[in-house]
Amino acid sequence: MPLDPSPLNSLGLPKPPSETRVVVAMSGGVDSSVVAAMLKEEGYDVVGVTLQLYDHGAALAKKGACCAGIDIHDARRVAEEMGFPHYVLDYENIFQEAVIEEFADSYLGGATPVPCIRCNERVKFKDLLETAKDLDADCMATGHYIQRKIGPNGAELHSATDSNRDQSYFLFSTTPEQLDFLRFPLGHLPSKEATRELAAKYGLAVADKPDSQDICFVPDGNYAGVIEKLRPGSAEPGEIVHADGRVLGQHNGVIHYTIGQRRGLGIGGLSEPLYVVRLDVDKKEVVVGPKEMLATRTIPVREINWLGDKPLTSQREWHVAVKVRSTRPPREAIIRPISDTEAEVELITPEEGVSPGQACVFYDPDSSRIFGGGWIWRGY
């Protein structure tokens, strides 16, 4: 009789944990630290890797952001305490070219970019993942709150058990090939409190460390300040114009405004509340109007990463749920493919403040599965 195949370990690989090398992407926060400690305790051959993504001197002074100087120190400390090797890789140039430059150009083009998605797509799940393979790793684990499940056609991406922590919006561009190699050990946990309890159990110094809030290279949330530093002279003044053509005031740069913005417009004293409904970069105009003008039903989407079992273009329509911002729940929608990477998305109920540069992420309305997503653009 043939011997039974080796039983799968907790990471779904057919060999003992001691013979399974796992590279853990360590940001220095509690989530990835718990992942590393958990896998080390289970007997895996753990290697911690932390990315230095931007100027180390500036990073040391900034708290509350991913991959800052203090975070590198915290990740190294966890590795020392748990007894596994830890490496810091200088990805500053890659990060600058792949994430920061596009962020600046997108803002100058009147879009509202999501650099955390591009970082996952172009740095962490691309270059770092290849580095993990170069280190002879069997897989790479991260502290993201998302689930990887095995379906009839292979690995699938699923939302986290805790909907309040779910990070699927930021990971929609994970490809099937990447998904084969990635593991997300925290996705099934019921809450962030459960993660912190594990950190306390392992005696980690970061157990009570606050979550990062800002985009790592944008101090204090001042996007415009970063853009002006990257692109001197980019904040050109212009007019604030009502959708009916009336000039209501002046602004000091389109980069200071986002679609849906109401506060800080500097055009008080009007009878109705007004919102930013369009940014016309060529004319240097901030166009404002009543709230109902923000409602959008049809969304052009491109650069689609499709994770369905059948090709995107195999059906004329896909009935799904979509998220058009990370903070909003999925809403019923229809995807109408144009090509393998482009589609028109029709929202059954109009959404307000849909903005070019944001992601449109596709969900199975009947399960926790994610079918990928794409980038919202203007459609011209």
Side-chain angles (χ1 to χ4, degrees):
M1 285 180 62
L3 295 173
D4 290 336
S6 301
L8 300 180
N9 59 34
S10 64
L11 294 176
L13 297 166
K15 50 183 173 179
S18 61
E19 298 174 16
T20 305
R21 175 165 290 179
V22 186
V23 164
V24 179
M26 299 183 68
S27 68
V30 64
D31 300 323
S32 56
S33 297
V34 164
V35 167
M38 179 193 305
L39 295 175
K40 177 64 178 177
E41 187 186 63
E42 289 182 31
Y44 287 97
D45 177 11
V46 172
V47 178
V49 174
T50 300
L51 303 183
Q52 180 183 314
L53 297 180
Y54 52 95
D55 180 68
H56 189 65
L60 282 169
K62 178 164 167 49
K63 293 183 178 180
C66 165
C67 308
I70 188 68
D71 297 316
I72 293 172
H73 169 78
D74 287 344
R76 182 181 290 120
R77 183 176 173 185
V78 168
E80 289 174 354
E81 290 172 353
M82 297 302 298
F84 59 83
H86 174 258
Y87 302 98
V88 178
L89 304 181
D90 183 356
Y91 275 36
E92 190 175 333
N93 289 339
I94 294 171
F95 187 69
Q96 179 78 26
E97 293 168 8
V99 179
I100 296 180
E101 295 296 335
E102 184 189 73
F103 173 84
D105 292 339
S106 294
Y107 249 99
L108 290 176
T112 308
V114 191
C116 298
I117 299 176
R118 289 301 197 193
C119 182
N120 289 326
E121 173 188 312
R122 297 177 173 177
V123 181
K124 292 177 182 174
F125 290 178
K126 185 184 176 192
D127 293 284
L128 178 56
L129 191 144
E130 290 304 316
T131 297
K133 291 180 178 178
D134 290 341
L135 291 170
D136 294 325
D138 295 286
C139 63
M140 186 173 93
T142 80
H144 288 107
Y145 287 88
I146 196 166
Q147 298 188 82
R148 173 189 182 273
K149 297 182 179 182
I150 300 299
N153 295 293
E156 299 174 353
L157 205 60
H158 286 254
S159 300
T161 297
D162 180 5
S163 59
N164 293 320
R165 304 297 306 183
D166 177 58
Q167 292 177 289
S168 57
Y169 185 85
F170 300 98
L171 297 169
F172 79 85
S173 61
T174 306
T175 67
E177 295 75 25
Q178 292 167 344
L179 202 51
D180 284 339
F181 195 70
L182 289 164
R183 299 294 187 273
F184 309 106
L186 303 184
H188 69 286
L189 293 181
S191 66
K192 181 65 180 245
E193 288 67 35
T195 305
R196 293 197 183 278
E197 287 170 9
L198 285 171
K201 169 190 166 186
Y202 299 129
L204 303 181
V206 295
D208 297 318
K209 185 175 180 177
D211 292 339
S212 59
Q213 300 295 330
D214 299 329
I215 294 172
C216 61
F217 59 90
V218 183
D220 307 318
N222 182 9
Y223 301 100
V226 171
I227 304 302
E228 289 183 85
K229 196 171 183 180
L230 290 167
R231 302 285 188 273
S234 60
E236 297 184 65
E239 295 178 332
I240 299 175
V241 182
H242 194 284
D244 64 12
R246 288 177 289 151
V247 175
L248 301 179
Q250 304 292 313
H251 65 76
N252 59 354
V254 170
I255 61 173
H256 294 278
Y257 300 86
T258 57
I259 302 296
Q261 180 179 337
R262 179 186 172 189
R263 300 182 185 280
L265 300 181
I267 49 172
L270 300 168
S271 59
E272 60 174 347
L274 296 176
Y275 300 78
V276 176
V277 297
R278 193 171 75 254
L279 298 171
D280 193 323
V281 178
D282 295 332
K283 294 182 179 179
K284 302 185 183 66
E285 288 182 349
V286 174
V287 183
V288 298
K291 190 174 184 180
E292 54 265 27
M293 287 192 68
L294 287 171
T296 302
R297 192 160 196 158
T298 302
I299 306 173
V301 179
R302 62 184 177 182
E303 289 185 67
I304 290 173
N305 178 55
W306 179 249
L307 296 175
D309 294 329
K310 296 190 295 183
L312 176 63
T313 53
S314 65
Q315 294 181 197
R316 292 181 63 185
E317 292 186 349
W318 295 86
H319 291 257
V320 297
V322 302
K323 268 191 183 187
V324 293
R325 282 187 185 264
S326 62
T327 54
R328 296 184 183 176
R331 301 289 175 85
E332 189 180 356
I334 300 170
I335 304 172
R336 296 189 176 92
I338 297 170
S339 69
D340 290 334
T341 58
E342 285 190 73
E344 184 177 271
V345 174
E346 179 188 348
L347 302 172
I348 304 306
T349 303
E351 282 264 10
E352 294 175 349
V354 175
S355 175
Q358 296 283 299
C360 180
V361 181
F362 312 147
Y363 297 81
D364 182 351
D366 301 317
S367 76
S368 59
R369 188 173 179 187
I370 297 137
F371 287 138
W375 294 94
I376 300 169
W377 67 301
R378 287 183 178 81
Y380 54 77

